[in-house]
Amino acid sequence: MVKRTGADINMVAGRDSWYHEAVASQSETCEPEWVEAEHPLFILYTSGSTGKPKGVQHSSGGYLLQAMLSMKYTFDIKPDDIYWCTADIGWVTGHTYITYGPLACGATEIVFEGVPTYPDAGRFWKMIQDHKVSVFYTAPTAIRSLIKAADNNPSVHPKQYNLSSLRILGSVGEPINPAAWEWYYENVGGGRCPIVDTFWQTETGAHMITPMPGATPMVPGSCTLPFPGIMAAVVDETGTEVPWGQGGILVVTKPWPAMIRNVWGDPDRFKKTYYPEDFKGKLYLAGDGAIRDAETGYFTITGRIDDVLNVSGHRMGTMEIESALVAHEKVAEAAVVGRPDDVTGEAIVAFVVLKGARPTGEEAAKVVKELQAWVGHEIGPIAKPKDIRFGENLPKTRSGKIMRRLLRQLAKGEDVTQDTSTLENPHILEQLKG
């Protein structure tokens, strides 16, 4: 236990001990354990569309190399910089850009465990002002929520703070929409700080597509060009590169230092997921769609190509949430889809069939809260559905397959214009409109 707040702790003899007592007798130096470059460094679990989390295994040498290189090139880190990445340390961004990268570079950094809205929504800006932060790396979700807060309360607007120490801004976790990019650039960076809009994944280990600050002309909403040495392309379903200006599937054509080495304990899944037979096992499949600008070749990420949701930069498989819902004693069936959301990028919408009668009114609202709390307990708060709708059934084909494309339209509030002739129960769509 770390003694910090002075709160009463129920210490269990023989199990619990105080951190300060445990380290008091330890040496100030710790000889590193020398390992080979390919020795596993850590395993980080990430979601998959099948619902079974994947243990992404990274290596010691390659991962550390790219973590350091991207700190030096993407963030132009200097000895006198004060660097701050606001990510959760348990997320891959926290691994690479709070722990391994900055420490390996000897950077001076802030490690933050609070939230951007406590004690008020000016917390980020006050931290930057008080600690003279020069390189700031955060997520579009945080930016969007702080835009709302500043609009509602001018006293927490970034212009109320001295942010002149900033020289580089970064964005991570999901594509940043142009409006949020422009607000970030003008109000946080004062119209003078380059924004590095970084595309990468748990599996890639470090930045893959990103501007180089001061060198790459910026375009709001575009992650621009690949990091030096990264060979990225946009291809069709056969793995053939498509012309610039035409959308397709994002792939990486050559190996890179920080790449995933394996899915822990499941090498077959590693090959099938990331090096599919459709591409003859020769291209890394990122799972995202992309388009390259017809003139500049800049990359813009267009979204996931599978059933993985991206909520506030955290990827979750729809099957995980569905499984959690169905584990509740009242739920017979569930289907989960995403819809665009101004704050979190994507919001979770769940369509649920209960074992009892379809609830309405106050009863429905009560069950919604109960199921949201259940999912939060089973998976985590980030996985709570924002919207839960009840139906007597789900829209299915006659073979029993749930027609998710229709649910996505309903979740967005759109009229169903697609062909419903294969639906076994077309009338159910009215119930699920919300």
Side-chain angles (χ1 to χ4, degrees):
M1 289 286 195
V2 177
K3 185 176 281 191
R4 286 187 41 203
T5 64
D8 291 332
I9 300 294
N10 183 23
M11 302 283 278
V12 177
R15 185 194 72 180
D16 302 332
S17 59
W18 288 111
Y19 176 79
H20 64 275
E21 293 175 356
V23 301
S25 60
Q26 300 299 311
S27 169
E28 290 184 1
T29 60
C30 179
E31 182 67 19
E33 184 71 27
W34 295 100
V35 297
E36 295 181 351
E38 287 302 304
H39 189 86
L41 181 62
F42 64 82
I43 302 162
L44 190 59
Y45 281 83
T46 187
S47 298
S49 57
T50 62
K52 182 184 177 185
K54 302 185 290 287
V56 173
Q57 179 204 318
H58 280 294
S59 71
S60 297
Y63 172 85
L64 286 167
L65 171 66
Q66 197 169 339
M68 290 181 72
L69 287 176
S70 50
M71 280 297 301
K72 289 184 175 183
Y73 295 153
T74 308
F75 296 124
D76 187 39
I77 206 75
K78 299 282 195 277
D80 57 352
D81 275 318
I82 306 294
Y83 166 83
W84 183 20
C85 170
T86 70
D88 184 330
I89 206 160
W91 184 28
V92 70
T93 304
H95 280 54
T96 307
Y97 296 110
I98 295 178
T99 308
Y100 292 102
L103 296 182
C105 287
T108 301
E109 66 169 327
I110 290 173
V111 178
F112 178 75
E113 62 179 353
V115 293
T117 53
Y118 182 84
D120 59 43
R123 182 71 186 275
F124 275 7
W125 322 134
K126 188 173 189 305
M127 290 276 292
I128 293 169
Q129 172 183 271
D130 291 354
H131 298 285
K132 303 293 186 286
V133 173
S134 55
V135 181
F136 180 63
Y137 196 32
T138 195
T141 299
I143 295 165
R144 287 190 291 261
S145 65
L146 295 174
I147 290 172
K148 260 188 185 175
D151 286 347
N152 293 330
N153 180 6
S155 70
V156 296
H157 194 285
K159 288 192 172 178
Q160 301 297 325
Y161 300 82
N162 180 2
L163 307 182
S164 60
S165 60
L166 286 170
R167 68 182 189 91
I168 292 175
L169 302 175
S171 174
V172 60
E174 60 192 293
I176 182 169
N177 54 300
W181 190 102
E182 287 166 3
W183 186 91
Y184 192 30
Y185 181 73
E186 292 295 337
N187 295 285
V188 181
R192 56 183 177 77
C193 298
I195 296 176
V196 287
D197 177 2
T198 60
F199 169 81
W200 62 295
Q201 302 171 312
T202 303
E203 296 88 344
T204 71
H207 299 156
M208 298 296 281
I209 307 176
T210 176
M212 295 290 102
T216 310
M218 298 177 294
V219 173
S222 170
C223 49
T224 69
L225 297 170
F227 188 82
I230 301 300
M231 309 301 288
V234 179
V235 301
D236 62 19
E237 288 79 0
T238 67
T240 304
E241 193 163 353
V242 300
W244 289 8
Q246 185 176 318
I249 300 164
L250 181 64
V251 297
V252 183
T253 63
K254 299 287 183 185
W256 64 99
M259 66 187 290
I260 177 177
R261 293 308 200 259
N262 200 2
V263 170
W264 187 254
D266 198 345
D268 287 340
R269 190 178 184 195
F270 168 66
K271 289 183 217 171
K272 287 176 186 173
T273 303
Y274 301 110
Y275 292 90
E277 278 302 315
D278 292 351
F279 300 154
K280 300 183 175 63
K282 293 182 178 180
L283 302 176
Y284 170 82
L285 177 65
D288 286 288
I291 187 169
R292 299 193 71 170
D293 184 86
E295 295 181 4
T296 63
Y298 277 16
F299 286 79
T300 296
I301 308 301
T302 55
R304 300 295 297 168
I305 60 172
D306 53 21
D307 286 327
V308 174
L309 305 177
N310 191 329
V311 181
S312 298
H314 293 258
R315 286 164 55 196
M316 288 171 288
T318 55
M319 191 69 74
E320 283 180 88
I321 305 165
E322 290 169 5
S323 298
L325 284 166
V326 173
H328 191 279
E329 60 182 7
K330 291 182 181 177
V331 177
E333 201 171 8
V336 169
V337 298
R339 73 163 183 231
D341 186 89
D342 289 342
V343 174
T344 59
E346 202 167 17
I348 299 167
V349 182
F351 297 89
V352 173
V353 179
L354 297 182
K355 292 175 181 175
R358 175 175 174 255
T360 56
E362 289 184 9
E363 186 191 354
K366 183 180 175 184
V367 180
V368 164
K369 288 184 178 177
E370 185 178 341
L371 294 180
Q372 287 172 329
W374 172 263
V375 172
H377 177 266
E378 292 293 299
I379 301 176
I382 197 77
K384 288 182 183 180
K386 188 167 188 177
D387 184 6
I388 297 180
R389 304 180 191 180
F390 299 100
E392 293 168 0
N393 207 331
L394 296 174
K396 299 175 184 175
T397 64
R398 288 172 179 79
S399 63
K401 183 179 178 183
I402 297 171
M403 299 188 73
R404 293 174 188 275
R405 59 183 173 85
L406 300 181
L407 293 179
R408 289 189 190 97
Q409 282 189 295
L410 292 173
K412 293 175 187 175
E414 299 172 352
D415 290 327
V416 175
T417 56
Q418 299 183 41
D419 178 28
T420 58
S421 60
T422 58
L423 260 185
E424 183 187 33
N425 47 358
H427 69 280
I428 215 72
L429 297 176
E430 280 300 315
Q431 281 188 1
L432 299 173
K433 277 187 175 177

